[in-house]
Amino acid sequence: MKTIRKLHWLDWLVLALLAGFFGYIWWKIDGSLNYNWRWHLIPDFILRYHTGREEWFANLLLQGLITTIRISIYASILALVLGTVLGIARCSANLTVRMLARTYLEVLRNIPPVVVIFIFFFFLSQQLIEALNIESWARGIARSDNPGIWEFFFGDMRRFPSLVSGVIVLALFESAFVGEIIRAGIQSIEKGQREGARSIGMSRYQEMRYIVLPQALTRVLPPLANQFITLIKDSAIISLISVQELTFKTVELVASTRMIFEAWITTAAFYFVICFGLSMLFRRLERRRRT
């Protein structure tokens, strides 16, 4: 109620214009395109009851959403590790290490994501999966009597190689942005603290581990949180390499049912709920940390 009272007449005008715009779009779709809305079918593609087994099961959209969440979590952890290494390398005293890290970061940050995804997938991810024989290992687990714990963390083990490909490709791409965030955090630490560490006999490694990195990571938590939300949205790109996440499942649903608007609006709502919820959570945690 307090928020509503604070709204200015100009705020109400903007809200009215937005409502009018979306109403016009809805009218054009319903009238000009003569589109047959079938919203009543969407819940069955999220969660459906199996009459034979007498149990509920996750259908296409919920399967894709769960895969998206798994990929986002694992890719963010890997991107944080790689990004931290790259950020430290960007601040290295060794010119060669510093230039190699900068080259990696600049190349990935200035090439379209789709191009980077395909390059990493065909030249790195696929080769790594074949070299480690991950596909046959995952099939062996899928045929075993008790694959429950594996399926809880990784889903259908028959699709485990595609999950690994998506995590590796997404993490390598996002690590470039995480690396720049970590580099900015390291360079924000005052020189006096470093000089103080060296004056008491700390090595460069000890100085980075005990003095610089703990403070740098604390300072860059807000941009890292924003990057994690960006990673969730960027995960839609890996549907191009047949990783069966939410966007890929939505394409399957549209191809089989022709429910174009219902499927994509539902998918957009899923992404919005996750990203907006995380944004509110990170904002609250940041306020609590400041307090």
Side-chain angles (χ1 to χ4, degrees), residues 58-179:
N59 211 348
L60 283 175
L61 293 178
L62 187 55
Q63 291 173 7
L65 178 62
I66 294 171
T67 302
T68 295
I69 293 172
R70 285 195 183 107
I71 289 174
S72 299
I73 293 173
Y74 300 147
S76 63
I77 294 172
L78 184 56
L80 179 61
V81 173
L82 294 175
T84 302
V85 173
L86 288 168
I88 295 172
R90 281 280 281 115
C91 302
S92 173
N94 188 298
L95 179 62
T96 303
V97 172
R98 196 164 63 246
M99 291 305 297
L100 286 173
R102 182 172 182 179
T103 302
Y104 178 88
L105 295 175
E106 293 297 338
V107 167
L108 263 66
R109 291 171 63 219
N110 292 285
I111 292 179
V114 176
V115 178
V116 175
I117 294 295
F118 278 117
I119 290 174
F120 278 141
F121 177 68
F122 288 112
F123 291 98
L124 182 60
S125 179
Q126 283 290 87
Q127 305 300 323
L128 184 63
I129 289 172
E130 292 177 5
L132 298 177
N133 203 21
I134 291 177
E135 189 168 357
S136 61
W137 173 77
R139 286 179 180 175
I141 292 177
R143 296 192 193 101
S144 64
D145 297 330
N146 188 23
I149 187 67
W150 294 98
E151 290 182 352
F152 176 79
F153 287 104
F154 304 110
D156 189 352
M157 290 303 294
R158 292 172 297 180
R159 298 192 176 95
F160 181 72
S162 68
L163 181 75
V164 173
S165 297
V167 169
I168 292 174
V169 167
L170 194 60
L172 289 173
F173 173 69
E174 295 293 334
S175 64
F177 300 91
V178 175

Side-chain angles (χ1 to χ4, degrees), residues 4 23 67 86 107 111 114 134 166 208 214 229 233 270 273 291:
I4 295 176
T67 302
L86 288 168
V107 167
I111 292 179
V114 176
I134 291 177
M208 186 64 67
I229 295 173
K233 294 183 288 184
F270 277 138
V273 168
T291 304

